[in-house]
Amino acid sequence: MQTIKLSAQSLTRNIDYFLGAATKYSPVLKDYKNQQQSIRIDSLLILAAAKPQVTASSAGMYAPIVKGYGYDEVLTNGQALEALLNVNYDLSNKRRVKNQLEGIKLQSDSIQYAGTLSLFDLKKSITDQYIIAYASQQQVEFNKEVTTLLKQEEALLKQLTRNNVYKQSEYLSFLVTLQQQQLSLKQAELQYQNDYAMLNYLAGLTDTTRISLAEPQLDHPISKAAKGFFAKRFDIDSLKNVNQKTAIDLNYRPKFGLYANSGYNSSFLLQPYKNFGASVGFTLSVPIYDGHQRKMQYEKLDLATLSSHYYKDFFIRQQQQQLDMILQQLAATDQLFVQLNQQIKFAKGLIEVNSKLLRTGDVKVVDYIIAINNYMAAVNLFRQTTTNRLKLINQFNYWNK
């Protein structure tokens, strides 16, 4: 199979160019980066909330009594004013803060995993489309080669027909074959334009420059990875369940806090100018009975953990089966190339022999056409097999992370 011949004006781009553009312009990957920044801010918010909280508050009230009607002054004092500075601090919050920060870290790990998975998916789709576009480009070049060959033979056959070496009907049959090949070339060019446009679309590019695609270079699979990337999400889910269980335990621990305030608080009934002061106190909360809610929450987490294990085991078996199947397909595909290369060699040799015999009128035109069709079929099968092999390699490298 011949490789593409590039002109001096052609611009060649490889698969890394499109992978780089897709990574650069992907809004999904940028969104995951922003989510990571947001998670960092959440951790700072938790640390800030764990510090002593200082607030200023003020309230005023006036309850007038008109002709004996009004609120009971014993309850309302008639009027009141307070302006306080409050400080609250939870002394038992250290473990809860640590647990919340661990939860934030697990959320960050989940976002990082999702971002990496999205990157893998993007690269896989870009690589698949690049392989398709490259195959379309190769099809165009091959059709050009065959069209050029047929044009050369058509001029010779036309002259031989005039010299009565071949019948006019044979010449017309050959001309029909040439016209069909010209149509095939136009269809191949349209297909390449569509495939290349789709490649640009997936990569986020708007470039319409006429370019040539370099042959895709993919890492050939050697062996299966010992530990898969895809199983990491199940490990994160398991750690989340542990973190939630710790949070449940912390909710059933005694809560002890301190508070203090200072300011002005007065009803204006007795020496209001002396009602500046301060107070301190504490709060204590001890859970005693809630209808065994903690046990039920434990049971829910245990069920979620068990389901996660089921999914992980099933996924690992499917992944291994998928990798084994791809390796088998690759081995079977590689065995085809020896036969395909031989078939192409023989078909091309037959064309060269018939081309020489055509000049002397010692071969039928229909036999020459059949030889060309056989050669085209062999090359197309070789190209299709090559494309399938590249897709299998890309698929294996994706699942073998």
Side-chain angles (χ1 to χ4, degrees):
M1 183 176 61
Q2 293 187 353
T3 57
I4 300 174
K5 297 179 181 179
L6 304 178
S7 63
Q9 294 79 15
S10 297
L11 176 63
T12 304
R13 287 174 180 161
N14 58 20
I15 191 172
D16 291 335
Y17 172 82
F18 296 95
L19 291 176
T23 304
K24 178 180 178 181
Y25 297 120
S26 172
V28 177
L29 297 181
K30 292 179 180 179
D31 180 34
Y32 282 123
K33 289 183 179 179
N34 291 336
Q35 290 185 40
Q36 288 281 22
Q37 294 293 336
S38 179
I39 284 292
R40 294 189 183 95
I41 296 175
D42 288 339
S43 63
L44 295 177
L45 288 173
I46 291 175
L47 292 173
K51 297 178 180 179
Q53 303 297 301
V54 181
T55 59
S57 63
S58 178
M61 185 273 294
Y62 173 63
I65 297 178
V66 181
K67 295 181 179 182
Y69 290 91
Y71 292 143
D72 190 342
E73 284 189 294
V74 176
L75 299 177
T76 65
N77 292 323
Q79 60 277 325
L81 175 65
E82 69 175 23
L84 304 175
L85 185 66
N86 304 285
V87 180
N88 294 277
Y89 183 60
D90 189 352
L91 292 177
S92 61
N93 202 33
K94 185 176 181 180
R95 291 182 177 179
R96 293 186 180 87
V97 170
K98 181 180 179 181
N99 178 258
Q100 290 175 345
L101 290 176
E102 289 176 352
I104 290 294
K105 175 63 169 57
L106 291 173
Q107 291 183 32
S108 177
D109 291 341
S110 295
I111 294 174
Q112 183 178 4
Y113 172 84
T116 305
L117 179 60
S118 179
L119 177 61
F120 289 161
D121 290 338
L122 181 62
K123 287 185 175 181
K124 180 178 181 296
S125 61
I126 291 293
T127 302
D128 276 339
Q129 186 58 37
Y130 186 94
I131 293 171
I132 293 173
Y134 178 77
S136 297
Q137 178 182 259
Q138 292 294 94
Q139 185 66 37
V140 171
E141 294 300 320
F142 175 69
N143 283 339
K144 286 182 179 179
E145 175 191 341
V146 175
T147 301
T148 300
L149 174 64
L150 292 178
K151 283 183 177 179
Q152 293 173 352
E153 300 296 350
E154 186 270 338
L156 174 63
L157 186 59
K158 185 177 182 180
Q159 183 62 39
L160 292 174
T161 302
R162 289 176 178 175
N163 296 336
N164 295 322
V165 176
Y166 288 102
K167 297 180 181 179
Q168 187 175 5
S169 59
E170 291 181 297
Y171 169 73
L172 292 177
S173 297
F174 186 88
L175 190 60
V176 169
T177 301
L178 172 60
Q179 292 174 347
Q180 289 177 342
Q181 180 58 31
Q182 290 173 334
L183 289 175
S184 297
L185 174 59
K186 291 181 180 179
Q187 289 178 340
E189 290 174 342
L190 290 175
Q191 185 63 47
Y192 171 66
Q193 291 176 3
N194 292 335
D195 292 337
Y196 177 69
M198 178 57 68
L199 178 61
N200 279 330
Y201 173 79
L202 293 177
L205 296 170
T206 57
D207 188 12
T208 58
T209 306
R210 183 176 179 85
I211 64 100
S212 293
L213 299 177
E215 181 178 357
Q217 302 293 331
L218 302 182
D219 295 331
H220 192 282
I222 300 176
S223 61
K224 293 182 291 186
K227 186 176 181 181
F229 162 81
F230 295 96
K232 184 178 180 181
R233 70 175 183 266
F234 301 107
D235 298 333
I236 295 176
D237 291 339
S238 179
L239 292 175
K240 283 183 177 180
N241 290 336
V242 174
N243 180 262
Q244 292 179 20
K245 191 172 184 178
T246 303
I248 293 173
D249 290 337
L250 292 173
N251 288 333
Y252 285 88
R253 291 180 177 271
K255 299 178 181 178
F256 182 76
L258 296 176
Y259 70 87
N261 61 54
S262 64
Y264 182 78
N265 193 351
S266 176
S267 64
F268 299 103
L269 294 181
L270 181 64
Q271 296 179 325
Y273 62 91
K274 293 184 177 181
N275 294 146
F276 292 93
S279 67
V280 294
F282 71 89
T283 59
L284 177 64
S285 174
V286 181
I288 298 177
Y289 179 76
D290 66 351
H292 305 292
Q293 293 184 32
R294 176 162 62 173
K295 180 181 178 181
M296 289 183 281
Q297 290 175 345
Y298 281 171
E299 291 176 352
K300 288 183 62 177
L301 287 176
D302 290 340
L303 290 172
T305 301
L306 189 60
S307 295
S308 180
H309 288 326
Y310 290 152
Y311 279 111
K312 180 180 180 179
D313 293 341
F314 184 74
F315 175 82
I316 290 176
R317 286 196 298 270
Q318 279 193 321
Q319 183 185 23
Q320 294 303 317
Q321 183 180 7
Q322 178 104 347
L323 292 173
D324 291 337
M325 183 172 59
I326 294 175
L327 287 176
Q328 291 176 0
Q329 291 176 344
L330 278 171
T333 301
D334 289 338
Q335 293 177 358
L336 290 176
F337 283 109
V338 176
Q339 298 177 355
L340 288 173
N341 282 323
Q342 289 179 350
Q343 186 176 2
I344 292 174
K345 181 179 179 181
F346 292 150
K348 191 171 185 179
L350 183 60
I351 290 178
E352 293 174 352
V353 171
N354 286 337
S355 179
K356 294 178 180 179
L357 295 176
L358 188 68
R359 286 159 171 75
T360 60
D362 294 327
V363 66
K364 294 181 179 179
V365 174
V366 65
D367 292 335
Y368 184 60
I369 294 175
I370 292 175
I372 291 177
N373 289 333
N374 289 336
Y375 174 68
M376 293 175 60
V379 172
N380 288 333
L381 182 58
F382 182 92
R383 184 175 296 108
Q384 183 180 358
T385 304
T386 302
T387 301
N388 291 338
R389 178 178 178 275
L390 290 173
K391 286 184 176 181
L392 286 171
I393 294 175
N394 185 39
Q395 189 176 3
F396 182 90
N397 291 338
Y398 174 81
W399 288 110
N400 198 41
K401 300 295 183 183

